[in-house]
Amino acid sequence: MTENTQQSHHSAPELPTQYTPADVEGPLYERWVERGYFTADAKSEKPPYTIVIPPPNVTGSLHLGHAFEHTLIDALTRRKRMQGYETLWQPGMDHAGIATQNVVERELAKEGKSRHDLGREAFVERVWQWKAESGGQIAGQMRRLGNGVAWDRDRFTMDEGLSRAVQTVFKKMFDDGLIYRAERIINWCPRCLTAISDIEVDYQDDDGELVSLKYGEGEDTVVVATTRAETMLGDTAVAVHPDDERYAHLIGKRIVLPLTGRTIPVVADTHVDPEFGTGAVKVTPAHDPNDFAIGLRHDLESIKVLDERGVITAHGPFEGLDRFEARSAIVAALRAEGRIVAEKRPYVHSVGHCSRCKTTLEPRLSLQWWVKVETLAEAAGDAVRDGRVNIHPADLTQRYFDWVDNLNDWCISRQLWWGHRIPVWHGPNGETVCVGPDEQPPSGEGWEQDTDVLDTWFSSGLWPFSTLGWPEKTEDLAKFYPNATLVTGYDLMFFWVARMMMFGLYAMDEVPFRTVAFHGMVRDEHGKKMSKSFGNTVNPLDWMDKYGSDALRFTLARGANPGTDVPIGEDWVQASRNFANKIWNAARFAMMNGATIEGPLPAAEQLSATDRWILSRLNATVADVNALYDDYQFAKLADALYHFAWDEVFDWYVELSKTTFMAGGEGAKVSARVLGEVLDVTLRLLHPIVPFVTETLWTTLTGGESLVVAEWPADSGFRDAAAEQEIAVVQQVVTEVRRFRSDQGLQPGQKVPARLELAGTALAAHEAAMRSLLRLQPAGEEFSATASLPVAGATVALDLSGAIDVEAERKRLTKDLAAAEKEKAQALGKLGNEAFLAKAPEKVVDKIRGRLETAEADLVRITAQLAALPQT
RNA sequence: GGGCGCAUAGCUCAGCGGUAGAGCGCUGCUCUUACAAAGCAGAUGUCGGCGGUUCGAAUCCGUCUGUGCCCACCA
């Protein structure tokens, strides 16, 4: 961009007629970073404002959802920075354990290798390489978007410092008895070969087959149904309801389990629903969570029949079969023995899948590490209940409570290689030692570190304080914790938000943030979920290249209604690009006419009604936008700015001021100052959403250093209802005459002789502007009015020097007349209704009276216009 | 099975008790001295159905239908 900032407000700057984002965005961003605008200083006297980035996974590049989230956070932090806060937009990325490991494993697979070919150490090295690459891409995308993050504070969940935080918390929780190791049924992914937590399970309705099996011999038989026949090899009981008379005679007996040569007991357990199926349930404690619970209650044996890959381990003819092969093989074998009493029937049921690879999960008995959540979850719930943390929008609060109030212990160990290794050493005689960050692990023969790594959300849960240097007592921590706001998607409420709440309250004894502002998911233009399999995903870079970052940002902000999903289509980005271009050209025009911010704003008495009107509207807009920002109403504030800028400033104020500017002199100088003011403030207001175009124009207009560090506008309190009313009338007259011209088929540029009767009205001052807008020439000697348009106390008489289309006009007016009459009748009806008058608030009654007045005025106007029509 | 939400103009959505709104799209006329990525004018909705509350309901209540999401130990 041009560097003519010093003299720019004295001479019209040379700006091209079209805004080309690519020319300005990159260099501007680098300049902002170089000048250190985005850094945050713990020693600052300013009040802090902190938002941490929801750390993107280093699994590739950012998608539109990230761009959306970043736009919102950037807008919030840019505004706060302008408001004088010591603002920290903490950047960083997440190692994303299982997700990243899977991505790199897929890369390896392309080379025909598995992670086992490399071994743990080499594999992890390989993931670090991938991290460097992915992280670079992500940072590049963030720069393109214009994110004002403190790059000097960039963090990664597996940095030394953050790893230290992980180890510290683990040790503390271990010592407090909040972390323990236990063998339980967990969700096991036979492809990823790891346990996953309950919330990493995606349930889908799958088509299964229900088979009914007969267990036992002779009179002691019972029929059970199952969709997972292969697990019968591990059955160690049949359970029935204690009150179920059908099976009373069997309770306590042992019956024959087919194919195995074993006998199993029939136990009574209230978990069984006698109404469901046969009322008898096969019990496989090693491969089903409910059965495991039954097993505990009845002291049943747990027999594992599937290995970690889902392959049958039980001895016998089925050994080595995959679980799905085994399923049909076992059904076939049972059929051969006459054990199938009801043929397979289709059965749709909910089946858990790995949220990372979609593989059908296998519930599996396994020794894992757990977090005891009870006290942590209670504290996390209380912090919201007592208002220390606000959830926005509020209707998501219930969902949060439902979760934290009904939480099961959290399985935190993963049988992966990429992640924070569990800081526990196992000794040769079964000893277990948890090692803190400053302690030496036990050495000697037989001591080994636990091979598991932690759930990736363990480290993400520490993010609001681990990024600030915890466990050291840093100045950053003192200044920037708790964070002000957390901006994230509602899909992360359980994975991340609730965990941050638990960890923050536990480790810091303080909430992690004051407000959680949930956003929705970005969808395509038809509201469909974006996914690679639908082929409707968008790389934000493509749209930024085509339309500019500002256009993408504005589109995303404009769609951001709290907590609700955001559909976005390329057409909409185009429309935002058009808006940016409109701002560009309006500013160009303003500067060509000498718009300036130099000198004091003239006092109200020196201003025209037009100037007072726009300043009144400007300040009202400042107030509106501020209120909307404080309520995270991005869509509404973007819309308010769009309409204020485009409709009011560009389409009306600029147009109404053109004659003033052309006339020159003192009036032009005053208007140039007002226009400069309006532009200045409007650009400031728009800057957090569209930082690039506003920065370019604002520095040119004002010669100021940068909008990034400029002051956020305050409502001066200036309002002028009279001027607003006056301009409303001007708009009404202009619109009515334009309508007439258009209906009469006059070309927009065609000049028409006209006589304006404005005497005695405030409109007289606007005659020149109205004539210019309406292409009305002075009435000459042989002026002969062919149409007379009375509007709001004024009359515009036009000489079309020829016949007008009387019928078209009569038709139009007749229609308008009918509408006005209807309006009048409605208003009269209301005002004649005693119940209404008695019960309606005065405000509403006044409104109806106003409506009646308008309708009556319209009737007078339209009747006069009809009367003025030439006879045919 | 439980819970939450949504059904408003062709599309995507605001409005949530007092005359139906926006963006895009559509129609017509214009390169009118910033912008055709523009300007001006215009058309389009018994606000899902049915009941109820109210002086008044797109807005509150009930119910039905359709649709989406979250949670759950569906053998």
Side-chain angles (χ1 to χ4, degrees), chain A residues 482-608:
Chain A
N483 302 169
T485 305
L486 177 78
V487 178
T488 190
Y490 57 70
D491 57 328
L492 291 185
M493 183 188 283
F494 311 144
F495 280 110
W496 193 41
V497 179
R499 266 78 177 265
M500 284 189 285
M501 292 287 289
M502 295 194 283
F503 280 130
L505 288 161
Y506 174 70
M508 299 294 295
D509 202 22
E510 171 66 286
V511 295
F513 26 70
R514 306 292 185 199
T515 302
V516 182
F518 281 115
H519 64 244
M521 305 294 117
V522 174
R523 294 171 173 269
D524 76 6
E525 68 267 44
H526 297 298
K528 223 169 107 180
K529 199 170 170 176
M530 281 194 172
S531 89
K532 283 175 198 121
S533 54
F534 291 150
N536 59 354
T537 55
V538 173
N539 182 343
L541 282 176
D542 292 345
W543 283 352
M544 286 195 272
D545 286 345
K546 258 175 116 169
Y547 306 108
S549 305
D550 285 339
L552 179 62
R553 293 171 59 115
F554 191 77
T555 307
L556 291 165
R558 202 176 185 188
N561 287 115
T564 61
D565 291 348
V566 191
I568 179 170
E570 185 164 354
D571 284 357
W572 310 350
V573 185
Q574 220 171 80
S576 299
R577 182 272 315 265
N578 294 355
F579 179 50
N581 192 234
K582 185 72 185 182
I583 299 170
W584 179 264
N585 276 294
R588 252 180 80 222
F589 172 84
M591 288 186 256
M592 284 164 61
N593 282 283
T596 179
I597 58 158
E598 286 206 333
L601 198 60
E605 308 84 66
Q606 294 173 258
L607 299 175
S608 68

Side-chain angles (χ1 to χ4, degrees), chain A residues 337-653:
Chain A
E337 291 195 6
R339 292 288 183 172
I340 306 288
V341 297
E343 270 311 321
K344 298 190 268 188
R345 65 184 169 84
Y347 186 74
V348 176
H349 61 144
S350 185
V351 177
H353 295 258
C354 174
S355 62
R356 282 299 154 191
C357 73
K358 307 305 166 205
T359 302
T360 302
L361 295 173
E362 205 56 50
R364 189 162 178 263
L365 188 60
S366 172
L367 184 61
Q368 302 287 344
W369 290 94
W370 302 83
V371 167
K372 195 173 175 183
V373 295
E374 196 180 344
T375 54
L376 302 174
E378 192 182 343
D382 288 345
V384 174
R385 264 184 281 273
D386 64 25
R388 277 175 291 152
V389 174
N390 267 296
I391 290 181
H392 184 92
D395 31 303
L396 286 173
T397 310
Q398 192 52 46
R399 205 186 277 190
Y400 175 82
F401 289 143
D402 288 347
W403 166 258
V404 294
D405 293 345
N406 299 289
L407 202 48
N408 292 319
D409 281 359
W410 173 19
C411 176
I412 52 169
S413 45
R414 298 290 179 273
Q415 290 64 53
L416 301 169
W417 289 353
W418 176 241
H420 301 279
R421 193 126 166 214
I422 288 182
V424 170
W425 268 255
H426 301 289
N429 303 308
E431 307 95 320
T432 299
V433 175
C434 182
V435 177
D438 294 321
E439 298 166 3
Q440 282 302 314
S443 56
E445 196 64 20
W447 281 93
E448 273 184 21
Q449 185 173 5
D450 198 294
T451 52
D452 290 353
V453 299
L454 286 165
D455 181 2
T456 201
W457 296 102
F458 194 98
S459 54
S460 330
L462 315 179
W463 193 245
F465 50 92
S466 64
T467 49
L468 295 171
W470 191 89
E472 311 309 323
K473 287 195 168 64
T474 63
E475 288 183 313
D476 282 338
L477 217 45
K479 181 79 178 176
F480 299 111
Y481 191 91
N483 302 169
T485 305
L486 177 78
V487 178
T488 190
Y490 57 70
D491 57 328
L492 291 185
M493 183 188 283
F494 311 144
F495 280 110
W496 193 41
V497 179
R499 266 78 177 265
M500 284 189 285
M501 292 287 289
M502 295 194 283
F503 280 130
L505 288 161
Y506 174 70
M508 299 294 295
D509 202 22
E510 171 66 286
V511 295
F513 26 70
R514 306 292 185 199
T515 302
V516 182
F518 281 115
H519 64 244
M521 305 294 117
V522 174
R523 294 171 173 269
D524 76 6
E525 68 267 44
H526 297 298
K528 223 169 107 180
K529 199 170 170 176
M530 281 194 172
S531 89
K532 283 175 198 121
S533 54
F534 291 150
N536 59 354
T537 55
V538 173
N539 182 343
L541 282 176
D542 292 345
W543 283 352
M544 286 195 272
D545 286 345
K546 258 175 116 169
Y547 306 108
S549 305
D550 285 339
L552 179 62
R553 293 171 59 115
F554 191 77
T555 307
L556 291 165
R558 202 176 185 188
N561 287 115
T564 61
D565 291 348
V566 191
I568 179 170
E570 185 164 354
D571 284 357
W572 310 350
V573 185
Q574 220 171 80
S576 299
R577 182 272 315 265
N578 294 355
F579 179 50
N581 192 234
K582 185 72 185 182
I583 299 170
W584 179 264
N585 276 294
R588 252 180 80 222
F589 172 84
M591 288 186 256
M592 284 164 61
N593 282 283
T596 179
I597 58 158
E598 286 206 333
L601 198 60
E605 308 84 66
Q606 294 173 258
L607 299 175
S608 68
T610 310
D611 292 335
R612 280 179 279 122
W613 158 72
I614 200 64
L615 288 172
S616 180
R617 288 293 307 132
L618 177 71
N619 282 290
T621 302
V622 170
D624 289 348
V625 167
N626 275 324
L628 291 167
Y629 257 115
D630 291 337
D631 200 27
Y632 306 98
Q633 299 278 2
F634 297 98
K636 289 192 176 65
L637 72 91
D639 204 54
L641 284 168
Y642 179 92
H643 287 292
F644 172 69
W646 201 320
D647 300 351
E648 301 194 83
V649 181
F650 305 156
D651 283 347
W652 280 107
Y653 180 69

Side-chain angles (χ1 to χ4, degrees), chain A residues 153-167:
Chain A
R153 293 167 174 268
D154 201 11
R155 296 288 184 273
F156 182 57
T157 47
M158 278 176 53
D159 281 352
E160 197 186 328
L162 274 71
S163 299
R164 196 178 161 76
V166 166
Q167 200 175 347

